[in-house]
Amino acid sequence: MLYLLLGQDGYSKQIYIKELSSRLSLGVTSVLWGETRGGQLVVSGGDLFSVVKLFVVKEGSIEGLADDILEQLKASCNHCVFVVDKLDQRKTATKKLLGDKEIIVKHFSVPEGQDLASWIDVYLKGQNASIQKDALQEFLLRLNALPSGGYNDPTYSLWQVASELDKLALYSGSSISKESVSLLVAKNTEVEVFTLINAFASRDKAETFAYLEEFFQNQSNGDDKAKAIQLGALLGEQLRNILLVKSFQEEGVPDVGILEKTGWKSGRLSVLKRLAGNFQAPAIVSGLKKLEHLDLELKSTNTPPRVMLDLIISQL
């Protein structure tokens, strides 16, 4: 029997494997594909007594397996679970795998917004606890877990969410308050970074400088140079994505084609297309060169990083 677990939600994958192990009354044997002798260890079970086993394969590429190996894995009395974050949807091999009715395929995406709120409710009920409505909103905000509209992948994991909820339940008892959340849950600064980047890409200089000031004020480690280098790299990535979108548009590539080539979510493409209207290609190329120069200067001189970053942004 062959299973394929896809997606970024490692927490739910582990729960699925645990439940599968319990249902089959089998222990879990975790292996790297390179240790399986081309899959023969999984097919045979690796012993002389043909004891049925449950294998969990990590760091293995199921897309590259030969057809005969796949057939042997599907026909084996052993259970083989491939754990994969993402497959290349453009490949014929991927489409064949996902369409194979003999392979049990499960998708595990990290929940966002209302889906996450429902998950939190169920999780806390299992702990004989609950979270107040305003506390839940504050919790989602601090984790940057409000709906992104498909633009960004979640910057948190369910491992993190569960850990934070355990801490809150232990501190608060049966009812978690907003005050407890504010006291115990650190704010995810990723939300500040992406807000700043989007303001920059929208060419709103006043808003960009306001978010820039807030960004540096809210950093706890006080290393302005490191933060400026990080921010410059993220700004450059956004500009490159916008330039790529403009190139696709000039070539007449449809949205479906762009999504297939880039692996982006549809919401992200929608935002990038809107932002692309704010730039001409030569201006983007010029901006990328300035950011490259900024990175070099930050790493090789003692010029105040915030002054340099302000100067670069004002010219874009």
Side-chain angles (χ1 to χ4, degrees):
M1 182 71 72
L2 186 57
Y3 306 77
L4 177 57
L5 310 188
L6 292 169
Q8 301 291 331
D9 182 8
Y11 181 94
S12 297
K13 287 179 183 177
Q14 180 157 310
I15 295 297
Y16 178 87
I17 293 170
K18 184 178 179 179
E19 292 175 348
L20 179 64
S21 171
S22 176
R23 187 167 70 249
L24 298 173
S25 298
L26 297 174
V28 175
T29 302
S30 295
V31 295
L32 301 178
W33 184 252
E35 301 171 342
T36 66
R37 300 196 303 272
Q40 291 309 307
L41 174 64
V42 177
V43 173
S44 66
D47 56 51
L48 300 176
F49 304 102
S50 299
V51 177
V52 176
K53 293 184 177 180
L54 171 59
F55 290 94
V56 175
V57 181
K58 298 181 180 180
E59 299 183 18
S61 174
I62 191 172
E63 296 169 288
L65 297 185
D67 289 344
D68 60 329
I69 296 297
L70 280 174
E71 292 303 318
Q72 290 179 52
L73 290 172
K74 290 189 293 184
S76 173
C77 61
N78 294 311
H79 298 262
C80 180
V81 181
F82 274 84
V83 180
V84 182
D85 284 347
K86 187 177 181 181
L87 294 177
D88 190 341
Q89 301 285 341
R90 298 170 296 177
K91 291 184 177 180
T92 302
T94 299
K95 296 176 181 178
K96 184 178 179 180
L97 280 171
L98 298 180
D100 193 326
K101 301 301 182 183
E102 295 183 82
I103 301 175
I104 298 176
V105 180
K106 299 289 183 180
H107 296 267
F108 297 91
S109 299
V110 179
E112 298 180 79
Q114 187 54 49
D115 290 337
L116 179 59
S118 299
W119 186 93
I120 289 171
D121 182 59
V122 172
Y123 184 86
L124 288 175
K125 283 180 179 177
Q127 307 240 29
N128 295 316
S130 62
I131 186 168
Q132 297 169 19
K133 187 174 181 180
D134 59 344
L136 175 60
Q137 190 69 11
E138 180 67 18
F139 183 74
L140 296 177
L141 180 63
R142 284 179 172 267
L143 286 181
N144 190 18
L146 295 173
S148 66
Y151 177 67
N152 298 311
D153 289 324
T155 56
Y156 57 89
S157 69
L158 286 187
W159 294 107
Q160 178 189 1
V161 175
S163 176
E164 296 287 2
L165 291 174
D166 290 344
K167 179 173 61 178
L168 287 166
L170 181 63
Y171 177 84
S172 305
S174 61
S175 181
I176 298 171
S177 67
K178 182 178 179 180
E179 290 73 19
S180 297
V181 173
S182 299
L183 178 64
L184 297 177
V185 181
K187 189 175 181 182
N188 186 341
T189 58
E190 289 288 339
V191 65
E192 297 169 1
V193 172
F194 285 111
T195 301
L196 195 163
I197 290 172
N198 287 335
F200 160 78
S202 297
R203 308 201 80 169
D204 187 330
K205 291 185 179 180
E207 192 171 67
T208 299
F209 284 122
Y211 283 127
L212 186 63
E213 182 65 26
E214 181 180 349
F215 171 77
F216 279 109
Q217 286 182 351
N218 289 339
Q219 301 308 307
S220 58
N221 63 11
D223 188 351
D224 282 1
K225 176 175 286 191
K227 291 301 176 182
I229 291 173
Q230 175 198 21
L231 193 53
L234 291 170
L235 292 173
E237 180 184 5
Q238 185 77 318
L239 282 180
R240 282 189 291 273
N241 287 336
I242 292 172
L243 185 62
L244 184 60
V245 167
K246 292 188 75 68
S247 176
F248 281 134
Q249 289 176 326
E250 290 176 1
E251 295 172 8
V253 179
D255 287 0
V256 173
I258 297 175
L259 294 174
E260 287 183 353
K261 291 176 182 293
T262 60
W264 292 338
K265 293 184 177 181
S266 58
R268 183 177 189 180
L269 175 58
S270 177
V271 172
L272 287 171
K273 286 173 64 178
R274 175 175 58 79
L275 296 176
N278 297 328
F279 293 88
Q280 296 296 323
I284 299 176
V285 173
S286 175
L288 287 170
K289 290 180 179 178
K290 289 176 181 177
L291 288 172
E292 183 180 359
H293 178 71
L294 169 67
D295 183 73
L296 179 62
E297 289 291 313
L298 287 172
K299 293 175 179 177
S300 60
T301 71
N302 292 320
T303 306
R306 294 179 63 176
V307 172
M308 294 182 62
L309 195 57
D310 285 353
L311 180 62
I312 292 296
I313 290 178
S314 68
Q315 296 175 5
L316 294 178

